[in-house]
Amino acid sequence: MSNNPIRVAVTGAAGQIGYSLLFRIASGAMFGPNQPVILHLIEIPDEKAMSALQGVVMELDDCAFPLLKGTVATSSLDEGFKGVNWALLVGAVPRKQGMERKDLLGINGKIFTGQGQAIAKNGASDVRTLVVGNPCNTNSLIAANNARGLDKNRFFAMTMLDENRAKTQLARKAGVDVTAISNLAIWGNHSATMFPDYFNARIGTRPVPDVIGHREWLEKDFITTVQQRGAAIIKARGLSSAASAANAVVDTVRNLTTPTRTGDWFSVGVHSDGSYGIEKGLIFSYPIRSDGKNWEIVKDVPLNEFSRAKITATENELKEEKAMVADLLPK
Ligand code: NAD
Ligand code: LMR
């Protein structure tokens, strides 16, 4: 077992997602069974939130996790991000039924200016930041642009939940195990414009459209189900997804920190370098591969006219969101 614990900050640690996520990290699901961790739990300076956070700390203590070497519970961003290797920015207001995620920009966007600054000031030299709080692509853009001196390639936005949702829908339709689905990229924004690319996804070794011949289902039902799944959960539960979101955070960090299976890829929002003609600097979800340390955008994934149109629509939405938060992006 390595002696050096990984320090992981989680904002919104007393919230719904936090309540599922922290226990998964502390149990070893994120960094493996041999890697100790120290959790930095960050909440707002509000009596109720801090009291709830103390309760969460008590429960973490009561699990006697062998890998958990300490907890820091705080409402101070400086203390919370001190020396952290990962900053998981979950804390933000969730949408209610009838809202789009970008309707949250006015409330949530400003959270990510101070957090970006505090991560740059206090984080470890290898700090990486994954934004979950919605709208996560544009919130990640705000954090990255306010984190002066930090490489923007260290900022991510979560689209893994969409990838997992898409894989399950395809597996159900094809009557195969979910592990048979690979190369499923979510392109663009974690929003109703995201494009789950079934043309390049595979079932076993075969392209999805060769196995699922039902073209109309793929073009309409499949895409809409994935795009609208968050809203469907809010309608059914009265609350937004939490355990599945926490699971996707674990999957995202694992995917970024372990080598990607040969020939496969995964989805995460990254700083666009202009690949596939997308505006540089947007936080855009692409097919990504990792060697365990560094990631890269997979090149030369074939895109047909239909895919191109979908990708342009989601890019345009991200450009609009960027314009909406222009005052939060330092010149
Ligand atoms: P929640 O309301 O249960 O919990 C949010 C927590 O964040 C609360 O405890 C709140 O006190 C805290 N918080 C608010 N502002 C904060 C700040 N500035 N600093 C630290 N903590 C702060 O919400 P939830 O269900 O856990 O969802 C959190 C966010 O994640 C929402 O914005 C939701 O829409 C988003 N989300 C994203 C995805 C995704 O796939 N990207 C999936 C699910 C949920
Ligand atoms: C989700 O996809 O479940 C989350 O982004 C929550 C939401 O608002 O849909």
Side-chain angles (χ1 to χ4, degrees), residues 55-124:
V56 172
V57 172
M58 286 189 252
E59 287 203 68
L60 283 166
D61 288 346
D62 295 349
C63 292
F65 284 119
L67 294 171
L68 183 59
K69 299 305 176 195
T71 50
V72 176
T74 183
S75 61
S76 151
L77 294 184
D78 283 341
E79 188 187 7
F81 291 122
K82 193 98 214 146
V84 300
N85 309 101
W86 276 93
L88 308 177
L89 306 187
V90 178
V93 174
R95 65 173 164 155
K96 305 265 180 322
Q97 204 175 331
M99 292 170 79
E100 289 299 333
R101 297 181 186 91
K102 67 182 162 213
D103 298 337
L104 295 167
L105 265 181
I107 317 171
N108 286 342
K110 53 186 177 295
I111 294 174
F112 296 87
T113 57
Q115 292 188 353
Q117 289 158 9
I119 290 166
K121 182 172 158 212
N122 298 287

Side-chain angles (χ1 to χ4, degrees), residues 152-153 155 269-273 280-284 286 295 297:
K152 292 193 176 57
N153 288 331
F155 286 80
V270 298
H271 178 75
S272 167
D273 61 355
K280 280 188 188 172
L282 292 176
I283 299 278
F284 197 86
Y286 283 107
W295 58 265
I297 298 169

Side-chain angles (χ1 to χ4, degrees), residues 94-96 99 101 104 132 134 161-162 165 190 194 229-231 233-234 240-242 244-245:
R95 65 173 164 155
K96 305 265 180 322
M99 292 170 79
R101 297 181 186 91
L104 295 167
V132 177
N134 276 323
L161 179 53
D162 310 303
R165 288 166 171 167
H190 174 62
M194 76 181 84
R229 187 68 161 188
I233 290 169
I234 292 171
S240 68
S241 64
S244 57

Side-chain angles (χ1 to χ4, degrees), residues 159-197:
T159 52
M160 180 55 63
L161 179 53
D162 310 303
E163 177 181 323
N164 286 341
R165 288 166 171 167
K167 282 180 164 170
T168 298
Q169 293 303 317
L170 292 175
R172 289 263 164 85
K173 183 74 177 171
V176 299
D177 193 85
V178 74
T179 55
I181 317 290
S182 68
N183 300 79
L184 193 301
I186 302 293
W187 294 80
N189 200 3
H190 174 62
S191 77
T193 64
M194 76 181 84
F195 174 51
D197 180 2

